[in-house]
């Protein structure tokens, strides 16, 4: 029996060598592959490939806690067997009504220094991307704090980015930044430092090796802060940045993540594809978010009239808003939004009259609120009524009794953990009161519209209102709009408030009326607030008015037919009944001929509306056949409808 110790010596190195082998997780179709390894210094890494193409070079994993470093000196102790994730669910406020998530899941367990919490990394790999989250386990009595996240995304050399500069906290109008309202930097070299010095916001789009990668986060609960990409990214390796110090609701509130154990972080999401279609069509943001925790309300998605963007604060008056209620009713739209200062310029009693009048016209009234407690200096009212729970619930109950259908809440102050909780407190209390919610001056969608079905839309975009502020914004509208379907609107509902045929007060609009019409389909929002006023709509051809009237209140599916970020887009959305609507825009300064393959949608006929003889006129014709050819003028557009 003296040979047993020698046998053990032979077996143990073999087991160690096997444990040191990289771990691989593939998507159900095998195209997307993640490789996880541990360096000699005990630093976990992961890499992503699409078939044979490298999309992310080895990138770092790990967390740094207040009392433990879980970024190095780690050992992979166990890799659970691969399991299958299947999730089928319905949405009314996003790009697809019936969502089907399929992924392969594997949990990797790491051990660090004695006494430190155990770190696990959960990977889920689907045909359209990679998601991973951290899980911390250990004694539950003590609150743990994360001071830094060492996650990186290491892009290959030569990658290009379409990136949104992250704003400096407490800047902008009345100290309301960051609110994700910048123009994207387009096609810049990966690794370029951010222009504002605060990093880059999610979602971040990259082109690399003929493929596309979209980075974002999802599944935001109450125990983490919203994050973004760090300012410095040497060798195109982007790290995670936490919120800036002012981004919390009160001086004593949580900024950085803290929680008792066990603790699961939000998902880091890497949407991938060999074309732009998976980027635009993916539902990973909601796939990875919690199912509904509040009831679906009888109120729901729809279209809305809105006076403020073209008519300003001074027209938030009883008579004007009654006229916009009539406008919504005439167009068959479900809502009318009454913006800031309604409490002062109309009053609660007269607003109740408006709500009751709107109901008589089968229109729901939406009203605006300032979110602020201490974090901004915006003077618009109602203000200082929503932050404290007792005041908020009393206010919500009051306006619900008045007949109001929902609220637009504006001017949030950042992405700290306390703000992540405040957003969700608002959604829960609004749902209990039976109110819909639209967040403005806000953070990005992270899947909350699945968890809280009363969340209709979020701004987090340099929307149409900015065209009224500065001619430079107006000049950039076309390229900005042609970037958003591939970036911001790819991760959730977006309240851009599109479509104006009228001229913008004091500004020269560069886009054609057909371009503006196309935005009504191109941009997706649970409630779509249209910028156009009654007189401007009445001046359009009857077939244009009829098209807008018949647009469905929500969409069932989406397909990207063609496009390139910042240059042009051709996109199709399907109505719940099965009919397809196609929209396209040309954002360049030269005419562009676009071939639209209707056979991809199972179509052989439809009606085309596009530019007329001038950029303020329309033309229309019937189209027959599998393919149609449309020549768009500079900053022109088109729609094809049943």
């Amino acid at each position: 029996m003296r040979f047993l110790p020698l046998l053990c010596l032979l077996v143990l190195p073999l087991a160690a060598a096997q444990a040191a082998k990289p771990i691989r997780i593939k998507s159900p179709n095998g195209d997307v592959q993640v490789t996880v390894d541990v360096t000699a210094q005990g630093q976990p890494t992961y890499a992503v490939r699409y078939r044979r193409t490298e999309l992310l070079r080895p990138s770092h994993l790990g967390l740094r806690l207040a009392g433990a470093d879980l970024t190095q000196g780690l050992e992979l102790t166990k890799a659970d067997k691969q399991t299958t994730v299947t999730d089928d669910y319905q949405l009314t406020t996003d790009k697809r009504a019936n969502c089907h998530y399929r992924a392969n899941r594997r949990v990797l367990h790491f051990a660090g220094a004695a006494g430190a919490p155990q770190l696990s990394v959960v990977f889920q790999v689907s045909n359209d991307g990679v998601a991973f989250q951290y899980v911390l386990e250990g004694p539950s009595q003590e609150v743990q704090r994360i001071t830094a996240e060492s996650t990186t995304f290491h892009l290959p050399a030569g990658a290009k980015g379409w990136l949104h500069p992250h704003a400096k906290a407490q800047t902008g109008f009345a100290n309301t930044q960051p609110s994700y309202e910048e123009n994207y930097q387009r096609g810049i070299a990966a690794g370029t430092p951010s222009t504002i010095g605060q990093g880059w916001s999610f979602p971040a789009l990259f082109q690399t090796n003929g493929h596309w990668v979209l980075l974002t986060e999802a599944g935001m609960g109450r125990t983490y802060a919203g994050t973004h990409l760090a300012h410095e990214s040497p060798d195109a390796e982007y790290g995670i940045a936490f919120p800036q110090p002012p981004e919390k609701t009160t001086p004593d509130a949580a900024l950085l993540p803290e929680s008792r154990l066990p603790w699961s972080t939000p998902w880091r999401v890497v949407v991938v594809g060999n074309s732009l279609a998976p980027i635009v069509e993916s539902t990973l943001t909601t796939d990875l978010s919690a199912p509904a925790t509040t009831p679906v309300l009888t109120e729901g998605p729809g279209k809305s009239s809105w006076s403020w963007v073209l008519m300003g604060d001074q027209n938030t008056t009883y008579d004007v808003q009654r006229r916009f209620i009539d406008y919504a009713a005439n167009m068959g739209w479900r809502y009318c939004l009454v913006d800031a200062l309604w409490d002062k310029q109309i009053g609660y009693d007269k607003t109740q009259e408006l709500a009751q009048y709107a109901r008589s016209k089968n229109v729901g009234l939406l009203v605006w609120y300032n979110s602020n407690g201490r974090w901004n200096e915006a003077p618009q009212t109602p203000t200082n009524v929503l932050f404290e729970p007792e005041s908020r619930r009393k206010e919500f109950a009051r306006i619900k009794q008045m007949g109001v259908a929902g609220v637009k809440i504006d001017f949030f102050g950042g992405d700290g953990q306390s703000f992540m909780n405040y957003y969700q407190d608002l959604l829960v209390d609004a749902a209990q009161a039976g109110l819909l919610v639209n967040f403005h001056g806000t953070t990005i969608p992270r899947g909350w519209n699945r968890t809280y079905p009363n969340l209709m839309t979020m701004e987090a975009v340099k929307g149409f209102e900015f065209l009224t502020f500065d001619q430079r914004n107006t000049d950039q509208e076309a390229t900005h709009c042609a970037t958003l379907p591939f970036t911001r609107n790819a991760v959730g509902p977006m309240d851009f408030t599109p479509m104006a045929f009228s001229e913008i007060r004091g500004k020269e609009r560069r886009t054609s009326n057909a371009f503006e019409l196309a935005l009504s389909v191109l941009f997706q929002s649970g409630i779509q607030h249209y910028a156009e006023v009654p007189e401007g709509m009445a001046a359009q051809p009857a077939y244009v008015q009829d098209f807008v009237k018949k647009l469905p209140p929500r969409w069932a599916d989406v397909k990207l037919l063609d496009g390139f970020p910042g240059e042009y887009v051709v996109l199709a959305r399907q109505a719940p009944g099965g009919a397809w609507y196609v929209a396209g825009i040309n954002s360049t300064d030269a005419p562009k001929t676009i071939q639209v393959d209707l056979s991809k949608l199972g179509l052989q006929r439809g009606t085309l509306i596009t530019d007329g003889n001038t950029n303020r006129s329309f033309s229309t014709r019937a189209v027959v056949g599998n393919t149609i050819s449309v020549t768009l003028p500079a900053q022109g557009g088109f729609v094809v409808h049943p």
Side-chain angles (χ1 to χ4, degrees):
M1 302 295 291
R2 294 176 62 186
F3 66 92
L4 285 176
L6 178 61
L7 180 61
C8 291
L9 288 174
L10 291 172
V11 171
L12 286 174
L14 179 61
Q18 289 176 338
K21 287 183 178 179
I23 303 297
R24 290 183 172 84
I25 312 105
K26 290 185 177 181
S27 60
N29 66 4
D31 287 347
V32 185
Q33 178 178 293
V34 177
T35 303
V36 181
D37 208 344
V38 181
T39 69
Q41 295 74 35
Q43 297 175 327
T45 67
Y46 75 102
V48 178
R49 301 182 73 85
Y50 187 95
R51 297 176 183 167
R52 296 183 179 181
T53 303
E54 181 181 60
L55 299 186
L56 288 181
R57 290 185 272 177
S59 306
H60 289 94
L61 297 166
L63 300 171
R64 189 169 286 113
L65 309 182
D69 185 355
L70 299 177
T71 66
Q72 58 186 346
L74 300 179
E75 178 186 358
L76 178 60
T77 59
K78 182 182 178 183
D80 292 352
K81 290 184 178 180
Q82 181 171 290
T83 59
T84 300
V85 177
T86 300
D87 191 7
D88 299 308
Y89 62 96
Q90 287 74 45
L91 290 175
T92 60
T93 55
D94 216 315
K95 65 181 77 171
R96 186 170 291 118
N98 296 301
C99 302
H100 308 286
Y101 179 53
R102 304 290 185 270
N104 289 329
R105 175 186 174 98
R106 201 163 188 190
V107 184
L108 310 182
H109 304 276
F110 297 87
Q118 178 182 316
L119 175 69
S120 300
V121 185
V122 182
F123 279 93
Q124 292 185 183
V125 184
S126 56
N127 293 343
D128 58 346
V130 175
F132 59 92
Q133 67 175 170
Y134 300 102
V135 178
L136 291 170
E137 296 177 284
S140 60
Q141 294 81 7
E142 185 178 350
V143 172
Q144 296 285 341
R145 293 178 176 83
I146 297 175
T147 59
E149 183 178 325
S150 67
T151 303
T152 63
F153 307 93
H154 199 176
L155 275 298
K160 295 180 180 180
W162 282 255
L163 304 176
H164 180 281
H166 203 72
K168 185 177 180 180
Q170 290 291 297
T171 61
F173 170 73
N175 298 3
T176 54
Q177 289 278 26
S179 50
Y180 297 80
E181 295 175 319
E182 307 296 330
N183 286 308
Y184 278 78
Q185 301 294 305
R186 295 177 283 106
I188 63 174
T192 302
S194 63
T195 52
I196 298 176
Q198 296 298 327
W200 304 100
S201 304
F202 289 129
L205 177 69
F206 295 92
Q207 183 186 35
T208 177
N209 294 329
H211 292 62
W212 295 89
V213 174
L214 184 78
L215 305 178
T216 191
E217 62 183 0
M220 179 64 65
R222 292 179 173 270
T223 60
Y224 220 77
T227 70
H228 56 280
L229 297 178
H231 172 55
E232 298 291 344
S233 48
D235 194 33
E237 185 170 16
Y238 291 83
I240 292 289
F242 280 144
Q244 302 155 67
E247 296 182 54
K248 51 186 180 179
T249 56
T250 69
D252 298 327
L255 174 71
L256 302 184
E258 58 182 52
S259 177
R260 298 186 186 277
L261 304 184
W263 184 3
S264 297
T265 70
W267 294 92
R268 301 284 160 245
V269 183
V270 185
V271 187
V272 303
N274 59 357
S275 72
L276 281 160
I279 304 297
V280 173
E281 298 170 15
S282 173
T283 57
L284 278 179
T285 307
T286 50
D287 293 342
L288 296 159
S289 296
T293 57
T294 57
V296 177
L297 304 183
T298 54
E299 308 280 6
K303 313 299 179 183
S304 180
S305 62
W306 181 41
S307 70
W308 182 87
V309 69
L310 289 182
M311 299 178 67
D313 288 335
Q314 67 274 19
N315 283 292
T316 303
T317 63
Y318 180 89
D319 290 341
V320 171
Q321 299 311 308
R322 185 177 169 112
R323 185 159 58 88
F324 271 75
I325 291 169
D326 292 338
Y327 173 35
N330 180 58
M331 296 299 296
W333 297 342
R334 194 166 183 176
Y335 299 105
C336 174
L337 170 60
V338 182
D339 218 88
L341 303 173
W342 61 268
D343 60 322
K344 303 295 185 184
Q345 296 176 185
I346 300 175
Y348 279 79
D349 290 344
K350 297 294 283 184
T351 299
Q352 181 170 344
E353 287 185 24
L354 283 175
Q356 292 171 351
Y357 177 72
R359 291 294 183 190
S360 74
K361 296 280 190 174
N362 201 30
V363 173
L365 203 68
L366 311 170
V367 296
W368 184 98
Y369 281 87
N370 193 325
S371 74
N372 71 324
R374 55 168 289 280
W375 49 84
N376 74 60
E377 298 175 357
Q380 286 86 349
T381 61
T383 189
N384 292 313
V385 292
L386 296 187
F387 181 59
E388 296 296 337
E390 183 177 353
S391 172
R392 173 172 66 245
R393 292 164 189 159
K394 182 179 179 181
E395 183 74 6
F396 283 169
R398 180 182 184 182
I399 62 173
K400 181 63 178 178
Q401 189 277 329
M402 290 164 50
V404 169
V407 290
K408 172 183 175 180
I409 308 174
D410 208 342
F411 298 138
F412 288 88
D415 288 342
Q417 183 176 337
S418 57
F419 267 109
M420 298 296 105
N421 278 273
Y422 181 40
Y423 280 115
Q424 293 175 81
D425 289 342
L426 287 164
L427 289 166
V428 169
D429 287 345
Q432 291 177 349
L435 296 171
L436 305 177
V437 176
N438 168 13
F439 286 138
H440 254 238
T442 182
T443 192
I444 58 166
R446 292 178 173 88
W448 282 337
N449 58 310
R450 179 183 182 188
T451 310
Y452 306 100
N454 61 320
L455 177 58
M456 294 291 103
T457 189
M458 302 175 75
E459 188 182 30
V461 66
K462 195 168 196 174
F464 193 95
E465 64 188 62
F466 279 86
L467 309 185
T468 71
F469 300 157
D470 192 311
Q471 183 63 48
R472 289 174 296 181
N473 295 328
T474 314
D475 294 343
Q476 296 181 71
E477 178 192 2
T479 53
H480 184 53
C481 288
T483 304
L484 294 174
F486 307 102
T487 52
R488 165 62 184 85
N489 211 184
V491 300
M494 179 182 74
D495 198 23
F496 183 91
T497 65
M499 199 184 71
F501 310 127
S502 299
E503 300 310 310
I504 302 169
R505 54 182 190 261
K507 307 296 181 297
E508 183 179 354
R509 177 164 58 83
R510 309 297 188 189
T511 58
S512 76
N513 279 7
F515 183 107
E516 294 293 317
L517 184 68
L519 299 184
S520 67
V521 174
L522 198 63
F523 292 163
Q524 187 275 324
S525 178
I527 295 179
Q528 188 79 285
H529 299 88
Y530 291 127
E532 189 50 78
V533 299
E535 296 80 7
M537 184 64 71
Q540 305 313 312
Y543 59 83
V544 170
Q545 296 184 51
D546 189 59
F547 169 81
V548 178
K549 287 178 180 179
K550 292 180 178 178
L551 279 175
R554 59 187 179 91
W555 299 109
D557 205 356
V558 61
K559 288 185 183 294
L560 178 69
L561 301 182
D562 201 358
F564 192 85
E567 296 184 9
Y568 73 106
V569 190
V570 182
L571 182 147
R573 296 195 188 274
Q574 188 179 39
W580 284 96
Y581 291 73
V582 182
I585 56 173
N586 169 26
S587 70
T588 70
D589 293 329
K592 185 175 185 64
T593 298
I594 296 175
Q595 307 293 327
V596 183
D597 186 357
L598 295 178
S599 67
K600 293 181 179 179
L601 309 173
L603 300 181
Q604 289 189 327
R605 64 182 67 248
T607 300
L608 171 73
I609 303 176
T610 188
D611 294 276
N613 294 327
T614 72
N615 66 358
R616 293 296 183 265
S617 65
F618 291 97
S619 66
T620 186
R621 61 182 172 89
V623 292
V624 179
N626 291 330
T627 303
I628 62 172
S629 179
V630 185
T631 299
L632 299 180
Q635 301 182 354
F638 76 92
V639 295
V640 175
H641 67 95

